[in-house]
Amino acid sequence: KNNLRTIANAESISKFRTCYLLDLRNHGDSFHANDMHFTSLVEDVIHFMNHMSMDKAIWLGHSYGGKVAYLAGLMYPQFVSSIVALDVAPKSYTDRNELYRHLLTV
């Protein structure tokens, strides 16, 4: 959240839209839980969006958050208008994760 505050507060962005800066679970000021599955992190953000009555959003994620944004686009395209992923390592996890193998075939 703090890493992106400068971007969110930039006049060219904040003048035209409302920005919400969320910490993923177990990060920053968020709640802590044993479950760190990507799908659970996506569900956390979708829950927030529903709570705020948001239909769609631009998902901007840094590192781990970028991967969460990519998965959200696959799982809930109706909630994602676009994705901005910053500093995401080009590492493949498909060999270890059945969900990603399935999503790549969609």
Side-chain angles (χ1 to χ4, degrees):
K1 173 171 76 174
N2 289 327
N3 294 341
L4 302 175
R5 190 173 310 281
T6 302
I7 294 171
N9 289 336
E11 184 178 351
S12 59
I13 293 175
S14 62
K15 181 177 179 180
F16 301 104
R17 63 190 52 86
T18 302
C19 296
Y20 297 96
L21 301 173
L22 308 178
D23 284 325
L24 295 175
R25 60 173 65 192
N26 299 333
H27 290 79
D29 296 325
S30 71
F31 68 95
H32 288 252
N34 291 329
D35 178 7
M36 281 294 292
H37 292 100
F38 280 105
T39 53
S40 299
L41 300 169
V42 170
E43 294 291 338
D44 291 344
V45 180
I46 296 299
H47 175 78
F48 172 81
M49 290 179 69
N50 285 328
H51 179 75
M52 300 300 291
S53 300
M54 298 169 60
D55 296 327
K56 216 168 216 193
I58 299 169
W59 289 53
L60 187 150
H62 174 259
S63 187
Y64 203 73
K67 293 176 183 178
V68 172
Y70 286 145
L71 183 58
L74 292 169
M75 290 176 61
Y76 295 100
Q78 69 274 22
F79 284 95
V80 180
S81 61
S82 60
I83 295 170
V84 179
L86 306 171
D87 196 23
V88 177
K91 180 175 168 132
S92 172
Y93 294 96
T94 57
D95 60 332
R96 295 186 295 142
N97 191 315
E98 182 63 34
L99 174 63
Y100 280 100
R101 279 197 298 269
H102 169 73
L103 290 173
L104 290 173
T105 63
V106 175

